[in-house]
Every structure is written in C-alpha cells, then in structure tokens.
mmCIF file of all heavy atoms in Angstrom:
data_model
loop_
_atom_site.group_PDB
_atom_site.id
_atom_site.type_symbol
_atom_site.label_atom_id
_atom_site.label_comp_id
_atom_site.label_asym_id
_atom_site.label_seq_id
_atom_site.Cartn_x
_atom_site.Cartn_y
_atom_site.Cartn_z
ATOM 1 N N ALA A 26 259.358 77.067 114.499
ATOM 2 C CA ALA A 26 258.535 77.641 115.572
ATOM 3 C C ALA A 26 257.069 77.733 115.185
ATOM 4 O O ALA A 26 256.192 77.669 116.063
ATOM 5 C CB ALA A 26 259.076 79.022 115.940
ATOM 6 N N ARG A 27 256.776 77.870 113.915
ATOM 7 C CA ARG A 27 255.375 77.970 113.480
ATOM 8 C C ARG A 27 254.581 76.716 113.836
ATOM 9 O O ARG A 27 253.366 76.771 114.022
ATOM 10 C CB ARG A 27 255.310 78.248 111.979
ATOM 11 C CG ARG A 27 255.898 79.598 111.582
ATOM 12 C CD ARG A 27 255.806 79.848 110.098
ATOM 13 N NE ARG A 27 254.421 80.026 109.661
ATOM 14 C CZ ARG A 27 254.065 80.242 108.395
ATOM 15 N NH1 ARG A 27 254.988 80.307 107.455
ATOM 16 N NH2 ARG A 27 252.812 80.397 108.075
ATOM 17 N N ASN A 28 255.268 75.598 113.980
ATOM 18 C CA ASN A 28 254.594 74.350 114.343
ATOM 19 C C ASN A 28 254.081 74.349 115.773
ATOM 20 O O ASN A 28 253.273 73.480 116.142
ATOM 21 C CB ASN A 28 255.546 73.166 114.141
ATOM 22 C CG ASN A 28 255.916 72.955 112.689
ATOM 23 O OD1 ASN A 28 255.057 72.966 111.810
ATOM 24 N ND2 ASN A 28 257.189 72.776 112.421
ATOM 25 N N LEU A 29 254.537 75.303 116.570
ATOM 26 C CA LEU A 29 254.130 75.354 117.976
ATOM 27 C C LEU A 29 252.808 76.091 118.174
ATOM 28 O O LEU A 29 252.234 76.045 119.265
ATOM 29 C CB LEU A 29 255.210 76.054 118.806
ATOM 30 C CG LEU A 29 256.592 75.399 118.807
ATOM 31 C CD1 LEU A 29 257.601 76.322 119.498
ATOM 32 C CD2 LEU A 29 256.550 74.045 119.492
ATOM 33 N N ALA A 30 252.308 76.751 117.150
ATOM 34 C CA ALA A 30 251.131 77.606 117.286
ATOM 35 C C ALA A 30 249.920 76.926 117.908
ATOM 36 O O ALA A 30 249.182 77.563 118.677
ATOM 37 C CB ALA A 30 250.771 78.209 115.922
ATOM 38 N N PRO A 31 249.633 75.638 117.633
ATOM 39 C CA PRO A 31 248.439 75.013 118.240
ATOM 40 C C PRO A 31 248.448 75.027 119.766
ATOM 41 O O PRO A 31 247.379 74.950 120.384
ATOM 42 C CB PRO A 31 248.489 73.579 117.698
ATOM 43 C CG PRO A 31 249.237 73.672 116.413
ATOM 44 C CD PRO A 31 250.271 74.735 116.652
ATOM 45 N N LEU A 32 249.610 75.140 120.372
ATOM 46 C CA LEU A 32 249.678 75.147 121.836
ATOM 47 C C LEU A 32 248.944 76.347 122.427
ATOM 48 O O LEU A 32 248.380 76.260 123.523
ATOM 49 C CB LEU A 32 251.135 75.156 122.300
ATOM 50 C CG LEU A 32 251.987 73.948 121.910
ATOM 51 C CD1 LEU A 32 253.434 74.171 122.337
ATOM 52 C CD2 LEU A 32 251.430 72.672 122.531
ATOM 53 N N ARG A 33 248.944 77.450 121.706
ATOM 54 C CA ARG A 33 248.291 78.659 122.221
ATOM 55 C C ARG A 33 246.794 78.446 122.408
ATOM 56 O O ARG A 33 246.199 78.987 123.347
ATOM 57 C CB ARG A 33 248.541 79.833 121.283
ATOM 58 C CG ARG A 33 250.007 80.233 121.156
ATOM 59 C CD ARG A 33 250.173 81.377 120.158
ATOM 60 N NE ARG A 33 249.384 82.533 120.551
ATOM 61 C CZ ARG A 33 249.056 83.525 119.725
ATOM 62 N NH1 ARG A 33 249.407 83.468 118.442
ATOM 63 N NH2 ARG A 33 248.353 84.549 120.156
ATOM 64 N N ASP A 34 246.191 77.655 121.536
ATOM 65 C CA ASP A 34 244.757 77.382 121.646
ATOM 66 C C ASP A 34 244.440 76.467 122.823
ATOM 67 O O ASP A 34 243.272 76.344 123.210
ATOM 68 C CB ASP A 34 244.244 76.748 120.353
ATOM 69 C CG ASP A 34 244.284 77.727 119.185
ATOM 70 O OD1 ASP A 34 244.046 78.931 119.410
ATOM 71 O OD2 ASP A 34 244.561 77.285 118.057
ATOM 72 N N ARG A 35 245.452 75.850 123.375
ATOM 73 C CA ARG A 35 245.281 74.982 124.539
ATOM 74 C C ARG A 35 245.649 75.685 125.836
ATOM 75 O O ARG A 35 245.777 75.050 126.881
ATOM 76 C CB ARG A 35 246.120 73.718 124.380
ATOM 77 C CG ARG A 35 245.650 72.803 123.254
ATOM 78 C CD ARG A 35 246.411 71.489 123.262
ATOM 79 N NE ARG A 35 246.502 70.947 124.607
ATOM 80 C CZ ARG A 35 247.656 70.782 125.284
ATOM 81 N NH1 ARG A 35 248.805 71.146 124.730
ATOM 82 N NH2 ARG A 35 247.657 70.263 126.483
ATOM 83 N N GLY A 36 245.856 76.996 125.761
ATOM 84 C CA GLY A 36 246.152 77.741 126.982
ATOM 85 C C GLY A 36 247.600 77.718 127.408
ATOM 86 O O GLY A 36 247.922 78.050 128.544
ATOM 87 N N VAL A 37 248.499 77.345 126.484
ATOM 88 C CA VAL A 37 249.931 77.320 126.797
ATOM 89 C C VAL A 37 250.545 78.677 126.437
ATOM 90 O O VAL A 37 250.350 79.181 125.323
ATOM 91 C CB VAL A 37 250.653 76.196 126.035
ATOM 92 C CG1 VAL A 37 252.164 76.248 126.280
ATOM 93 C CG2 VAL A 37 250.092 74.836 126.447
ATOM 94 N N LEU A 38 251.272 79.244 127.376
ATOM 95 C CA LEU A 38 252.001 80.489 127.120
ATOM 96 C C LEU A 38 253.348 80.142 126.501
ATOM 97 O O LEU A 38 254.164 79.446 127.122
ATOM 98 C CB LEU A 38 252.215 81.264 128.417
ATOM 99 C CG LEU A 38 253.114 82.507 128.314
ATOM 100 C CD1 LEU A 38 252.494 83.557 127.411
ATOM 101 C CD2 LEU A 38 253.409 83.083 129.695
ATOM 102 N N ILE A 39 253.573 80.609 125.278
ATOM 103 C CA ILE A 39 254.873 80.448 124.632
ATOM 104 C C ILE A 39 255.668 81.712 124.932
ATOM 105 O O ILE A 39 255.267 82.824 124.571
ATOM 106 C CB ILE A 39 254.723 80.220 123.122
ATOM 107 C CG1 ILE A 39 253.849 78.987 122.859
ATOM 108 C CG2 ILE A 39 256.094 80.046 122.471
ATOM 109 C CD1 ILE A 39 253.572 78.731 121.388
ATOM 110 N N LEU A 40 256.778 81.532 125.625
ATOM 111 C CA LEU A 40 257.585 82.647 126.124
ATOM 112 C C LEU A 40 258.984 82.567 125.540
ATOM 113 O O LEU A 40 259.686 81.560 125.705
ATOM 114 C CB LEU A 40 257.652 82.584 127.656
ATOM 115 C CG LEU A 40 258.486 83.648 128.374
ATOM 116 C CD1 LEU A 40 257.830 85.016 128.253
ATOM 117 C CD2 LEU A 40 258.672 83.275 129.843
ATOM 118 N N GLY A 41 259.409 83.600 124.839
ATOM 119 C CA GLY A 41 260.780 83.707 124.368
ATOM 120 C C GLY A 41 261.554 84.630 125.285
ATOM 121 O O GLY A 41 261.047 85.670 125.695
ATOM 122 N N SER A 42 262.766 84.253 125.619
ATOM 123 C CA SER A 42 263.574 85.058 126.539
ATOM 124 C C SER A 42 264.971 85.239 125.973
ATOM 125 O O SER A 42 265.718 84.274 125.794
ATOM 126 C CB SER A 42 263.644 84.376 127.920
ATOM 127 O OG SER A 42 264.405 85.141 128.820
ATOM 128 N N GLY A 43 265.294 86.483 125.670
ATOM 129 C CA GLY A 43 266.612 86.810 125.126
ATOM 130 C C GLY A 43 266.779 88.315 125.175
ATOM 131 O O GLY A 43 266.428 88.951 126.162
ATOM 132 N N ASN A 44 267.290 88.902 124.098
ATOM 133 C CA ASN A 44 267.357 90.360 123.963
ATOM 134 C C ASN A 44 267.509 90.684 122.488
ATOM 135 O O ASN A 44 268.370 90.104 121.819
ATOM 136 C CB ASN A 44 268.534 90.965 124.735
ATOM 137 C CG ASN A 44 268.460 90.719 126.219
ATOM 138 O OD1 ASN A 44 269.061 89.765 126.724
ATOM 139 N ND2 ASN A 44 267.718 91.557 126.928
ATOM 140 N N ILE A 45 266.692 91.596 121.977
ATOM 141 C CA ILE A 45 266.785 91.971 120.567
ATOM 142 C C ILE A 45 268.133 92.606 120.273
ATOM 143 O O ILE A 45 268.738 92.368 119.224
ATOM 144 C CB ILE A 45 265.618 92.905 120.185
ATOM 145 C CG1 ILE A 45 264.299 92.110 120.189
ATOM 146 C CG2 ILE A 45 265.846 93.542 118.819
ATOM 147 C CD1 ILE A 45 263.062 92.950 119.965
ATOM 148 N N VAL A 46 268.621 93.423 121.186
ATOM 149 C CA VAL A 46 269.980 93.967 121.111
ATOM 150 C C VAL A 46 270.751 93.396 122.290
ATOM 151 O O VAL A 46 270.332 93.546 123.443
ATOM 152 C CB VAL A 46 269.989 95.508 121.169
ATOM 153 C CG1 VAL A 46 271.432 96.026 121.166
ATOM 154 C CG2 VAL A 46 269.198 96.104 120.009
ATOM 155 N N HIS A 47 271.869 92.721 121.995
ATOM 156 C CA HIS A 47 272.641 92.083 123.077
ATOM 157 C C HIS A 47 274.106 92.055 122.668
ATOM 158 O O HIS A 47 274.550 91.161 121.954
ATOM 159 C CB HIS A 47 272.122 90.669 123.328
ATOM 160 C CG HIS A 47 272.773 89.973 124.492
ATOM 161 N ND1 HIS A 47 273.893 89.188 124.365
ATOM 162 C CD2 HIS A 47 272.441 89.966 125.805
ATOM 163 C CE1 HIS A 47 274.231 88.706 125.546
ATOM 164 N NE2 HIS A 47 273.363 89.167 126.438
ATOM 165 N N ASN A 48 274.852 93.062 123.119
ATOM 166 C CA ASN A 48 276.274 93.145 122.807
ATOM 167 C C ASN A 48 277.043 93.377 124.106
ATOM 168 O O ASN A 48 277.111 94.507 124.602
ATOM 169 C CB ASN A 48 276.550 94.265 121.800
ATOM 170 C CG ASN A 48 277.973 94.238 121.285
ATOM 171 O OD1 ASN A 48 278.895 93.841 121.991
ATOM 172 N ND2 ASN A 48 278.164 94.658 120.041
ATOM 173 N N LEU A 49 277.605 92.313 124.664
ATOM 174 C CA LEU A 49 278.325 92.424 125.934
ATOM 175 C C LEU A 49 279.694 93.069 125.765
ATOM 176 O O LEU A 49 280.263 93.555 126.742
ATOM 177 C CB LEU A 49 278.478 91.038 126.580
ATOM 178 C CG LEU A 49 277.178 90.384 127.060
ATOM 179 C CD1 LEU A 49 277.482 89.038 127.706
ATOM 180 C CD2 LEU A 49 276.431 91.284 128.041
ATOM 181 N N HIS A 50 280.228 93.090 124.546
ATOM 182 C CA HIS A 50 281.524 93.724 124.320
ATOM 183 C C HIS A 50 281.448 95.236 124.500
ATOM 184 O O HIS A 50 282.456 95.883 124.824
ATOM 185 C CB HIS A 50 282.044 93.387 122.927
ATOM 186 C CG HIS A 50 282.368 91.940 122.733
ATOM 187 N ND1 HIS A 50 283.407 91.306 123.384
ATOM 188 C CD2 HIS A 50 281.762 90.986 121.980
ATOM 189 C CE1 HIS A 50 283.450 90.038 123.023
ATOM 190 N NE2 HIS A 50 282.451 89.816 122.181
ATOM 191 N N THR A 51 280.280 95.805 124.289
ATOM 192 C CA THR A 51 280.107 97.256 124.428
ATOM 193 C C THR A 51 279.294 97.611 125.678
ATOM 194 O O THR A 51 278.893 98.751 125.850
ATOM 195 C CB THR A 51 279.405 97.831 123.190
ATOM 196 O OG1 THR A 51 278.151 97.155 122.994
ATOM 197 C CG2 THR A 51 280.269 97.642 121.947
ATOM 198 N N TYR A 52 279.061 96.621 126.525
ATOM 199 C CA TYR A 52 278.223 96.790 127.717
ATOM 200 C C TYR A 52 278.920 97.681 128.738
ATOM 201 O O TYR A 52 280.088 97.481 129.065
ATOM 202 C CB TYR A 52 277.958 95.413 128.311
ATOM 203 C CG TYR A 52 276.889 95.313 129.368
ATOM 204 C CD1 TYR A 52 275.585 95.690 129.106
ATOM 205 C CD2 TYR A 52 277.176 94.779 130.619
ATOM 206 C CE1 TYR A 52 274.589 95.554 130.065
ATOM 207 C CE2 TYR A 52 276.195 94.632 131.587
ATOM 208 C CZ TYR A 52 274.904 95.017 131.310
ATOM 209 O OH TYR A 52 273.934 94.870 132.258
ATOM 210 N N SER A 53 278.210 98.680 129.240
ATOM 211 C CA SER A 53 278.765 99.597 130.253
ATOM 212 C C SER A 53 278.500 99.009 131.638
ATOM 213 O O SER A 53 277.553 99.380 132.316
ATOM 214 C CB SER A 53 278.118 100.978 130.117
ATOM 215 O OG SER A 53 278.338 101.520 128.844
ATOM 216 N N TRP A 54 279.315 98.053 132.025
ATOM 217 C CA TRP A 54 279.066 97.267 133.232
ATOM 218 C C TRP A 54 278.825 98.151 134.444
ATOM 219 O O TRP A 54 279.651 98.989 134.792
ATOM 220 C CB TRP A 54 280.228 96.331 133.504
ATOM 221 C CG TRP A 54 280.367 95.262 132.464
ATOM 222 C CD1 TRP A 54 281.166 95.302 131.352
ATOM 223 C CD2 TRP A 54 279.665 94.027 132.403
ATOM 224 N NE1 TRP A 54 281.004 94.161 130.604
ATOM 225 C CE2 TRP A 54 280.093 93.354 131.232
ATOM 226 C CE3 TRP A 54 278.714 93.425 133.237
ATOM 227 C CZ2 TRP A 54 279.605 92.106 130.872
ATOM 228 C CZ3 TRP A 54 278.236 92.164 132.867
ATOM 229 C CH2 TRP A 54 278.676 91.526 131.712
ATOM 230 N N GLY A 55 277.675 97.962 135.069
ATOM 231 C CA GLY A 55 277.350 98.671 136.302
ATOM 232 C C GLY A 55 276.784 100.059 136.112
ATOM 233 O O GLY A 55 276.327 100.686 137.058
ATOM 234 N N LYS A 56 276.768 100.569 134.874
ATOM 235 C CA LYS A 56 276.250 101.914 134.622
ATOM 236 C C LYS A 56 274.862 101.798 133.998
ATOM 237 O O LYS A 56 274.662 101.980 132.796
ATOM 238 C CB LYS A 56 277.191 102.688 133.693
ATOM 239 C CG LYS A 56 278.589 102.875 134.267
ATOM 240 C CD LYS A 56 279.490 103.620 133.291
ATOM 241 C CE LYS A 56 280.901 103.781 133.855
ATOM 242 N NZ LYS A 56 281.795 104.472 132.887
ATOM 243 N N HIS A 57 273.878 101.465 134.848
ATOM 244 C CA HIS A 57 272.553 101.135 134.338
ATOM 245 C C HIS A 57 271.844 102.323 133.687
ATOM 246 O O HIS A 57 270.853 102.148 132.987
ATOM 247 C CB HIS A 57 271.689 100.573 135.472
ATOM 248 C CG HIS A 57 272.273 99.318 136.064
ATOM 249 N ND1 HIS A 57 272.355 98.148 135.347
ATOM 250 C CD2 HIS A 57 272.804 99.059 137.285
ATOM 251 C CE1 HIS A 57 272.897 97.215 136.115
ATOM 252 N NE2 HIS A 57 273.189 97.735 137.277
ATOM 253 N N ASP A 58 272.339 103.528 133.945
ATOM 254 C CA ASP A 58 271.722 104.701 133.331
ATOM 255 C C ASP A 58 272.495 105.174 132.101
ATOM 256 O O ASP A 58 272.263 106.272 131.597
ATOM 257 C CB ASP A 58 271.621 105.841 134.353
ATOM 258 C CG ASP A 58 272.971 106.244 134.938
ATOM 259 O OD1 ASP A 58 273.964 105.508 134.722
ATOM 260 O OD2 ASP A 58 273.024 107.283 135.628
ATOM 261 N N ALA A 59 273.427 104.350 131.613
ATOM 262 C CA ALA A 59 274.195 104.726 130.429
ATOM 263 C C ALA A 59 273.265 104.870 129.234
ATOM 264 O O ALA A 59 272.350 104.065 129.033
ATOM 265 C CB ALA A 59 275.269 103.681 130.133
ATOM 266 N N ASP A 60 273.494 105.890 128.433
ATOM 267 C CA ASP A 60 272.667 106.099 127.249
ATOM 268 C C ASP A 60 272.890 104.969 126.242
ATOM 269 O O ASP A 60 274.026 104.513 126.051
ATOM 270 C CB ASP A 60 273.019 107.428 126.578
ATOM 271 C CG ASP A 60 272.598 108.627 127.410
ATOM 272 O OD1 ASP A 60 271.669 108.474 128.220
ATOM 273 O OD2 ASP A 60 273.213 109.697 127.250
ATOM 274 N N PRO A 61 271.829 104.509 125.597
ATOM 275 C CA PRO A 61 272.003 103.463 124.582
ATOM 276 C C PRO A 61 272.805 103.985 123.401
ATOM 277 O O PRO A 61 272.731 105.163 123.047
ATOM 278 C CB PRO A 61 270.570 103.112 124.191
ATOM 279 C CG PRO A 61 269.741 104.282 124.607
ATOM 280 C CD PRO A 61 270.419 104.868 125.800
ATOM 281 N N TYR A 62 273.556 103.102 122.794
ATOM 282 C CA TYR A 62 274.341 103.459 121.622
ATOM 283 C C TYR A 62 273.416 103.804 120.453
ATOM 284 O O TYR A 62 272.321 103.257 120.336
ATOM 285 C CB TYR A 62 275.259 102.308 121.222
ATOM 286 C CG TYR A 62 276.383 102.047 122.200
ATOM 287 C CD1 TYR A 62 276.232 101.099 123.213
ATOM 288 C CD2 TYR A 62 277.587 102.727 122.107
ATOM 289 C CE1 TYR A 62 277.259 100.843 124.113
ATOM 290 C CE2 TYR A 62 278.618 102.504 123.001
ATOM 291 C CZ TYR A 62 278.444 101.557 124.000
ATOM 292 O OH TYR A 62 279.459 101.322 124.893
ATOM 293 N N ASP A 63 273.886 104.699 119.602
ATOM 294 C CA ASP A 63 273.079 105.100 118.452
ATOM 295 C C ASP A 63 272.740 103.907 117.573
ATOM 296 O O ASP A 63 271.610 103.793 117.071
ATOM 297 C CB ASP A 63 273.820 106.160 117.622
ATOM 298 C CG ASP A 63 273.910 107.502 118.338
ATOM 299 O OD1 ASP A 63 273.167 107.699 119.321
ATOM 300 O OD2 ASP A 63 274.716 108.342 117.910
ATOM 301 N N TRP A 64 273.717 103.012 117.365
ATOM 302 C CA TRP A 64 273.460 101.859 116.504
ATOM 303 C C TRP A 64 272.411 100.926 117.118
ATOM 304 O O TRP A 64 271.633 100.301 116.388
ATOM 305 C CB TRP A 64 274.748 101.093 116.207
ATOM 306 C CG TRP A 64 275.624 100.779 117.383
ATOM 307 C CD1 TRP A 64 276.716 101.480 117.812
ATOM 308 C CD2 TRP A 64 275.480 99.673 118.299
ATOM 309 N NE1 TRP A 64 277.276 100.888 118.928
ATOM 310 C CE2 TRP A 64 276.535 99.775 119.242
ATOM 311 C CE3 TRP A 64 274.585 98.617 118.406
ATOM 312 C CZ2 TRP A 64 276.699 98.856 120.277
ATOM 313 C CZ3 TRP A 64 274.733 97.692 119.441
ATOM 314 C CH2 TRP A 64 275.778 97.811 120.358
ATOM 315 N N ALA A 65 272.388 100.845 118.453
ATOM 316 C CA ALA A 65 271.388 100.002 119.120
ATOM 317 C C ALA A 65 269.992 100.589 118.945
ATOM 318 O O ALA A 65 269.020 99.863 118.672
ATOM 319 C CB ALA A 65 271.727 99.859 120.600
ATOM 320 N N LEU A 66 269.879 101.895 119.079
ATOM 321 C CA LEU A 66 268.594 102.557 118.891
ATOM 322 C C LEU A 66 268.107 102.418 117.458
ATOM 323 O O LEU A 66 266.921 102.170 117.212
ATOM 324 C CB LEU A 66 268.719 104.038 119.262
ATOM 325 C CG LEU A 66 268.894 104.357 120.751
ATOM 326 C CD1 LEU A 66 269.218 105.832 120.931
ATOM 327 C CD2 LEU A 66 267.637 103.992 121.526
ATOM 328 N N ARG A 67 269.031 102.574 116.514
ATOM 329 C CA ARG A 67 268.637 102.473 115.104
ATOM 330 C C ARG A 67 268.167 101.062 114.776
ATOM 331 O O ARG A 67 267.169 100.874 114.068
ATOM 332 C CB ARG A 67 269.799 102.877 114.187
ATOM 333 C CG ARG A 67 270.092 104.366 114.168
ATOM 334 C CD ARG A 67 271.010 104.719 113.004
ATOM 335 N NE ARG A 67 272.302 104.045 113.092
ATOM 336 C CZ ARG A 67 273.387 104.579 113.644
ATOM 337 N NH1 ARG A 67 273.349 105.803 114.147
ATOM 338 N NH2 ARG A 67 274.527 103.903 113.676
ATOM 339 N N PHE A 68 268.862 100.040 115.286
ATOM 340 C CA PHE A 68 268.463 98.674 114.976
ATOM 341 C C PHE A 68 267.109 98.349 115.598
ATOM 342 O O PHE A 68 266.252 97.751 114.939
ATOM 343 C CB PHE A 68 269.509 97.672 115.462
ATOM 344 C CG PHE A 68 269.121 96.247 115.167
ATOM 345 C CD1 PHE A 68 269.091 95.788 113.865
ATOM 346 C CD2 PHE A 68 268.767 95.376 116.191
ATOM 347 C CE1 PHE A 68 268.714 94.477 113.576
ATOM 348 C CE2 PHE A 68 268.390 94.067 115.917
ATOM 349 C CZ PHE A 68 268.366 93.617 114.603
#
C-alpha cells in the first residue's frame, strides 16, 4: 500500500472501507443500540 502514496499528490482520494472491529458471530442483529462488547472496546 505504501506504493500508492504518490496518488495523493495528484488529487486522488484513497479510501479504505471495512471495519476495525467486525465479528458477525457476536452481532446483535437488529439491535442497533446494543452496547459494544468489552473486548471490542478494548481492542
């Protein structure tokens, strides 16, 4: 990824899309106000 850095000087937006914490096995489906897990907060 470091090789992509020159693109920024040319006005290119480098956008990463994912999630730093992403565990669907523990996902509280549909409960958008569920409190985050302690391990997720710590990480």
Side-chain angles (χ1 to χ4, degrees):
R27 295 181 68 181
N28 295 314
L29 300 171
L32 298 175
R33 297 178 58 198
D34 292 325
R35 293 187 46 244
V37 175
L38 173 64
I39 302 176
L40 178 69
S42 181
N44 299 95
I45 290 174
V46 177
H47 185 269
N48 189 329
L49 293 181
H50 294 293
T51 56
Y52 192 59
S53 301
W54 293 94
K56 299 179 181 178
H57 299 293
D58 58 349
D60 291 335
Y62 291 94
D63 290 345
W64 48 263
L66 289 171
R67 287 194 299 266
F68 180 69

